[in-house]
Amino acid sequence: MRHTEARDWRALRVLRLTALRDPVAPLAFYERYRDALNLPREEWQRRATPRADALTLVAENLREEGPELLGMVVLLVRAEDTGDHVQLVGVYARPEYRGTGLARKLLGEAVDRAAGREVRLFVHERNHRAARCYEALGFEPTGRSEEVPEDHPLPGREPERAWEMALAPRPSASWSPTRATTGVFLPESG
C-alpha cells in the first residue's frame, strides 16, 4: 500500500479506465469511461499527485516491467466541508483480487490516513456487495443521500440514490512523513 505520485499517472490511468469498464461501474462511479478516456495527461498527473485536498492510495504488484496497480481508494477533503471529515471515493479492486481482503486493507489504510477524522463515503442503493464490505468495516448509514447523476434518465423513472455511510473518528496512529505526505492528512499540531 502506498500513495501515488505524479510519475504514477500512466498506471493510475490504466487502473481507473479498467475500473470504469467493470460491469459494476455504473453502481460504483459517477465518472464515465468515455469521459475519463479523453482526459489529458496533465489531469492524470494531477490526480496522481498528493495534494492538500486529495490523496490516492493504491495496492500494487511490483513487476520487472513496472508496477501493476491492483486497487485504489481516493481520500478527499472538499472545500465546502469543515475539515472534520474525509470523503472516500473511487474505491476499486480488480475482480481477481475481490474477496482476498485487498479492499479491506486499502480502506483500513485510508482510515489510518484520515488522521482521526470521521470517514464518509456514498454507496449506490443497489451496490449491496460494497455496502456489506463497508458495514463489515464499521461504517454505518448516516441517513443522508444524494441523487445519482445519470446521463439519460428515463422519463417517469424514480432517480436512483446513493446513501452516505460514515465511520466514526478513530484515534490516529503516530505519524511520520513516510506514512502521510500532505498536511491535510497529518494530525493538527497544537
Side-chain angles (χ1 to χ4, degrees):
M1 302 290 154
R2 66 177 181 87
H3 64 268
T4 57
E5 298 286 344
R7 69 178 180 269
D8 296 313
W9 75 269
R10 286 181 187 88
L12 182 62
R13 181 179 187 270
V14 167
L15 182 64
R16 180 66 175 182
L17 291 175
T18 300
L20 295 174
R21 297 221 31 174
D22 192 288
V24 300
L27 299 181
F29 307 109
Y30 291 166
E31 185 174 39
R32 299 294 174 236
Y33 177 81
R34 68 178 176 274
D35 298 329
L37 186 63
N38 294 313
L39 292 173
R41 173 186 179 160
E42 295 78 23
E43 174 59 16
W44 290 108
Q45 288 173 327
R46 187 189 73 77
R47 289 181 180 198
T49 302
R51 304 185 318 266
D53 65 342
L55 184 70
T56 300
L57 298 175
V58 293
E60 69 182 333
N61 181 12
L62 298 176
R63 304 174 306 167
E64 197 172 297
E65 60 274 13
E68 174 190 31
L69 302 184
L70 312 176
M72 66 181 284
V73 61
V74 180
L75 292 82
L76 296 177
V77 175
R78 300 180 193 266
E80 66 271 11
D81 294 335
T82 61
D84 62 345
H85 73 274
V86 172
Q87 187 82 30
L88 300 185
V89 298
V91 179
Y92 178 73
R94 290 182 181 269
E96 61 269 30
Y97 292 96
R98 293 179 189 154
T100 66
L102 179 70
R104 180 181 298 271
K105 289 177 185 173
L106 275 167
L107 290 164
E109 182 70 13
V111 169
D112 286 348
R113 299 278 183 124
R117 292 177 175 90
E118 180 181 57
V119 179
R120 298 180 191 170
L121 52 80
F122 280 91
V123 62
H124 192 285
E125 65 187 345
R126 290 190 292 126
N127 197 346
H128 305 293
R129 180 184 187 142
R132 284 191 305 270
C133 174
Y134 303 141
E135 288 170 353
L137 293 169
F139 283 83
E140 296 179 355
T142 67
R144 286 189 55 224
S145 71
E146 64 183 22
E147 193 172 307
V148 175
E150 291 189 49
D151 290 343
H152 303 288
L154 299 173
R157 187 171 136 203
E158 286 291 317
E160 296 188 356
R161 311 237 18 113
W163 295 94
E164 185 180 62
M165 298 181 81
L167 183 64
R170 294 183 179 171
S172 56
S174 60
W175 290 87
S176 71
T178 58
R179 292 278 301 152
T181 60
T182 58
V184 77
F185 297 104
L186 292 172
E188 321 278 4
S189 58

